[in-house]
Amino acid sequence: MMGPIDSIEGRLVVDGDQVFAIVAARFNEFVVERLVEGAVDTLLRHGVARERIVLVKTPGAFELPLACQRMAASGNVAAVIALGCVIRGATPHFDYVAGEAAKGCGQVAAATGIPVAFGVLTTDTIEQAVERAGTKAGNKGADAARVAIEMVSLGQALTESGY
Ligand code: INI
C-alpha cells in the first residue's frame, strides 16, 4: 500500500531577517489599532525584531491595496499584512470599500509574488468588529500576522523544493 503523499507546507517560524510590513487603515481607528497591536505582538513573539516591522497608515480600507502594492513591489519586504475595519452600518458603500480592499490586496499578492495577509474586518456592527479585535472572537490582526509568517515560510519551502 502506498503511503500518504507528503505536503509542502509553511511553518510558523521566522527563519531569517525578513522585513514584515503592516499596512493599516485609520478609518475606525479604535478597532484597527487593536488589530495592529495583535499583529505586532504576534510578529514579535515569533522572533521578528522590532526594527524589521514597518507600519504604514492609509486613510481608509479602500486605499490599502495601493500602499500594499508599493510595499510589496519595493523588493524590501517578505510579506505585507493589510489591516482595516469596514462596518456595514457605518457606510452605504460598504460593498465597494470592502470588495475593493479584498480584491486589490489579492491582486497585489498575485502581481508581486509577495504574500499579502488580509486582516480587514468586514462586519455588520461595531460590536462584531470589537469582538474580532482582541475580545471574545480573538484578534484578526494576530491571525493575519500568523498567516503572513506561514506564507513566507511556505515560499521558502517551495523554493527549496524547486517550485
Ligand atoms: N473606510 C474604512 O476603512 N472603513 C469604513 O467603514 C469606511 N466607511 O464606513 O465608509 C471607510 N470609508 C473610507 C474609504 O475607505 C476611503 O478612504 C474613501 O472612500 C476615500 O477613498
Side-chain angles (χ1 to χ4, degrees), residues 28 30-39 83-87 94 118-146:
N28 292 323
F30 67 105
V31 174
V32 181
E33 275 306 304
R34 303 289 89 73
L35 301 178
V36 172
E37 286 168 10
L83 302 177
C85 174
V86 193
I87 300 172
F94 173 94
F118 189 66
V120 178
L121 298 176
T122 53
T123 63
D124 287 329
T125 65
I126 290 175
E127 289 72 25
Q128 289 170 348
V130 169
E131 281 171 15
R132 291 159 177 75
T135 60
K136 72 178 182 189
N139 185 312
K140 297 300 169 197
D143 293 350
R146 270 189 292 275

Side-chain angles (χ1 to χ4, degrees), residues 60-68 82 86 93-108 116 118 120 122:
F62 186 83
E63 286 74 31
L64 287 172
L66 179 57
C68 288
V86 193
H93 58 309
F94 173 94
D95 293 314
Y96 298 107
V97 174
E100 287 304 313
K103 181 159 59 73
C105 287
Q107 283 172 347
V108 170
V116 179
F118 189 66
V120 178
T122 53

Side-chain angles (χ1 to χ4, degrees), residues 19-51:
V19 172
F20 286 78
I22 297 172
V23 181
R26 281 196 312 272
F27 208 103
N28 292 323
E29 193 161 30
F30 67 105
V31 174
V32 181
E33 275 306 304
R34 303 289 89 73
L35 301 178
V36 172
E37 286 168 10
V40 169
D41 180 64
T42 296
L43 293 174
L44 293 174
R45 284 170 186 271
H46 284 82
V48 180
R50 196 169 277 277
E51 315 81 68

Side-chain angles (χ1 to χ4, degrees), residues 2-3 7 15-16 35 42 57 73 76 86 88 90 97-100 105 110 113 133 153:
M2 284 199 294
S7 62
D15 182 16
L35 301 178
T42 296
K57 297 274 183 94
N76 294 324
V86 193
R88 188 180 292 275
V97 174
E100 287 304 313
C105 287
S153 171

